[in-house]
C-alpha cells in the first residue's frame, strides 16, 4: 500500500539530480524533519563545538598576550583574562561566557581590545545558537502531526445500506476533548488504469466524496463520527460487487484536515483501506450510550467492531 494505516507514505525517491545542498538552504525544515537522535546529536555538537572553538580562541589570546604561567609574567602584569592558566581553564571560561554562568573567578580585563571584541562576539553568537536550537526542539515537540496521532480511523470500511442507498462507511474518532476546527474529510481512490492510448498510469487518483449527516464542513468532532460515500453511478465502486471486490486492485486513502484548537496549526490525518479491509454487508456496532447521570459515554472497545 502507498499509505500505511497510521498515515505514513510508503514511497522512495531515486536518482534525484538536485544537490543535497538544496536541503541546507532550507536548514530550518531540514532540522525539523530529522529524527530525534540526529537532532539531539546536532544540538549537543553545536554547543560543545562552539564552547571548544571559543576556548581555543581564548587560549590564543592568552598565549599572544603572554598571560600563561610558562611565560613567567611579572607581578605587575595585567592579563587579558584573569586566571586563564591553560587550555582547560580557557574552555571553562568559554563555557561560562556563552551560557552566562559568571562564577566571578575568571573575567575579562580592560587590558586588550581583542578580548573585549571576542567576548561580545561569543555572547551574540551564543544567543543565536541557543535561540535556533531551543526553537527547533520546541517546534519539533509541538508539530501538529503529533496531534494527528490522537485521531483514529476504524480498522475496516464497510458497505451497507444507509438511508435507502448503498454506501461505503468509515468510522473516525477524536481521542481528545479539544476540537479540530474547520474539519474536512475527503478521499482518494488509487488504482492502476490503462488509457485508451494504451498508457499505463500507476497510482491514478480518483476523488471520493465523503459526507456526514450533519454536513462534511466544520464538523462538530467531539464524538466518533461515521462518514459515508454514496455508491451511485458516478462512484468508482458502482461496478463492484460483494463477490468481486476482493479481486479488485485499489487503495482507498482517506484524509481529514483541520485546525488544532490549542495551537491554530493545521493538521492532516491519513489512513488507507485495501480490498481485504472493505467488508460488504456489515454495519458498525453502536458505541455511544447515555449513562444514568446524564452523561454521554463512548465505548471505544466497539470502535472497530
Amino acid at each position: 500500500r502507498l499509505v500505511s494505516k497510521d498515515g505514513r507514505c510508503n514511497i522512495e525517491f531515486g536518482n534525484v539530480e538536485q544537490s543535497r545542498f538544496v536541503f541546507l538552504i532550507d536548514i530550518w525544515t531540514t532540522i525539523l524533519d530529522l529524527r530525534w537522535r540526529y537532532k539531539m546529536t546536532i544540538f549537543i555538537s553545536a554547543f560543545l563545538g562552539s564552547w571548544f572553538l571559543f576556548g581555543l580562541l581564548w587560549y590564543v589570546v592568552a598565549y599572544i598576550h603572554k598571560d600563561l604561567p610558562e611565560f613567567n609574567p611579572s607581578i605587575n602584569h595585567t592579563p587579558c583574562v584573569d586566571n586563564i592558566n591553560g587550555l582547560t581553564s580557557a574552555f571553562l571560561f568559554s563555557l561560562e561566557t556563552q551560557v552566562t554562568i559568571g562564577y566571578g573567578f575568571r573575567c575579562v580585563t580592560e587590558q586588550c581590545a581583542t578580548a573585549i571584541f571576542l567576548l561580545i562576539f561569543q555572547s551574540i553568537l551564543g544567543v543565536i545558537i541557543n535561540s535556533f536550537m531551543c526553537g527547533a526542539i520546541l517546534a519539533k515537540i509541538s508539530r501538529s502531526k503529533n496531534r494527528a496521532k490522537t485521531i483514529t480511523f476504524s480498522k475496516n470500511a464497510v458497505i451497507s445500506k444507509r438511508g435507502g442507498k448503498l454506501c461505503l462507511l468509515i468510522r473516525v474518532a477524536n481521542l481528545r476533548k479539544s476540537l479540530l476546527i474547520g474539519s474536512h474529510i475527503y478521499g482518494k481512490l488509487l488504482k492502476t488504469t490503462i488509457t485508451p492510448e494504451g498508457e499505463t498510469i500507476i497510482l491514478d487518483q480518483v476523488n471520493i466524496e465523503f459526507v456526514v449527516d450533519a454536513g462534511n464542513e466544520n464538523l462538530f468532532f467531539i464524538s466518533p463520527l461515521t462518514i459515508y460515500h454514496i455508491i451511485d453511478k458516478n462512484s468508482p465502486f458502482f461496478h463492484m460487487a460483494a463477490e468481486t471486490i476482493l479481486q479488485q486492485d485499489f487503495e482507498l486513502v482517506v484524509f481529514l484536515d483541520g485546525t488544532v484548537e490549542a495551537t491554530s496549526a493545521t493538521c492532516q490525518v491519513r489512513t488507507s483501506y485495501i480490498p481485504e479491509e472493505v467488508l460488504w454487508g456489515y454495519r458498525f456496532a453502536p458505541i455511544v450510550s447515555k449513562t444514568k447521570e446524564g452523561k454521554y459515554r463512548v465505548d471505544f472497545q466497539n470502535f472497530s467492531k
Side-chain angles (χ1 to χ4, degrees), residues 46-47 50-51 54 93-100 122 126 129:
F47 284 103
S50 62
W51 295 340
F54 280 100
F93 179 70
S94 173
L95 171 62
E96 294 169 19
T97 299
Q98 192 162 324
V99 299
T100 64
Q122 183 177 5
I129 294 175

Side-chain angles (χ1 to χ4, degrees), residues 167-217:
C167 299
L168 182 142
L169 301 98
I170 296 171
R171 182 172 273 172
V172 59
N174 178 13
L175 301 181
R176 288 186 179 273
K177 291 186 177 181
S178 59
L179 300 178
L180 281 181
I181 303 172
S183 300
H184 175 60
I185 298 177
Y186 57 97
K188 300 284 184 182
L189 188 71
L190 309 178
K191 60 180 181 178
T192 301
T193 59
I194 300 177
T195 65
E197 295 76 20
E199 178 186 2
T200 300
I201 302 178
I202 300 178
L203 298 179
D204 186 25
Q205 300 184 17
V206 179
N207 288 328
I208 301 294
E209 295 293 334
F210 283 98
V211 295
V212 185
D213 290 335
N216 62 344
E217 296 285 349

Side-chain angles (χ1 to χ4, degrees), residues 4 10 12 93 114 119 132 151 160 167 189 192 200-201 207 220 235 247 251 256 259-260 265 269 275 284 287:
S4 63
N10 180 29
E12 179 180 299
F93 179 70
T114 304
L119 176 68
F132 184 86
I151 305 295
S160 61
C167 299
L189 188 71
T192 301
T200 300
I201 302 178
N207 288 328
F220 185 46
S235 171
Q247 284 75 47
E251 179 179 350
L256 187 147
T259 303
V260 182
V269 194
F284 286 115
I287 60 174

Side-chain angles (χ1 to χ4, degrees), residues 21-161:
F21 182 71
V22 297
F23 295 99
L24 296 178
I25 295 176
D26 186 16
I27 186 65
W28 179 253
T29 304
T30 302
I31 292 294
L32 290 184
D33 288 341
L34 287 176
R35 294 180 179 270
W36 273 109
R37 54 179 176 268
Y38 301 125
K39 183 186 291 290
M40 295 307 299
T41 300
I42 294 176
F43 182 87
I44 296 172
S45 300
F47 284 103
L48 288 179
S50 62
W51 295 340
F52 185 73
L53 174 62
F54 280 100
L56 288 176
L57 294 178
W58 286 115
Y59 179 81
V60 170
V61 169
Y63 184 88
I64 293 175
H65 198 250
K66 300 184 184 302
D67 298 334
L68 301 176
E70 55 262 31
F71 292 108
N72 296 316
S74 63
I75 299 177
N76 297 326
H77 178 77
T78 303
C80 289
V81 182
D82 286 331
N83 300 306
I84 284 188
N85 303 316
L87 186 58
T88 302
S89 56
F91 174 80
L92 290 175
F93 179 70
S94 173
L95 171 62
E96 294 169 19
T97 299
Q98 192 162 324
V99 299
T100 64
I101 293 178
Y103 289 122
F105 181 67
R106 299 180 183 90
C107 60
V108 176
T109 66
E110 68 276 7
Q111 185 63 27
C112 26
T114 304
I116 297 175
F117 173 79
L118 186 58
L119 176 68
I120 295 173
F121 183 69
Q122 183 177 5
S123 299
I124 295 174
L125 186 62
V127 171
I128 294 174
I129 294 175
N130 189 63
S131 300
F132 184 86
M133 288 300 169
C134 293
I137 295 293
L138 181 60
K140 180 77 170 179
I141 295 174
S142 59
R143 291 188 80 173
S144 57
K145 74 175 185 178
N146 294 326
R147 176 65 172 91
K149 295 179 181 179
T150 56
I151 305 295
T152 182
F153 288 88
S154 56
K155 183 191 298 186
N156 297 97
V158 300
I159 295 180
S160 61
K161 281 199 170 184

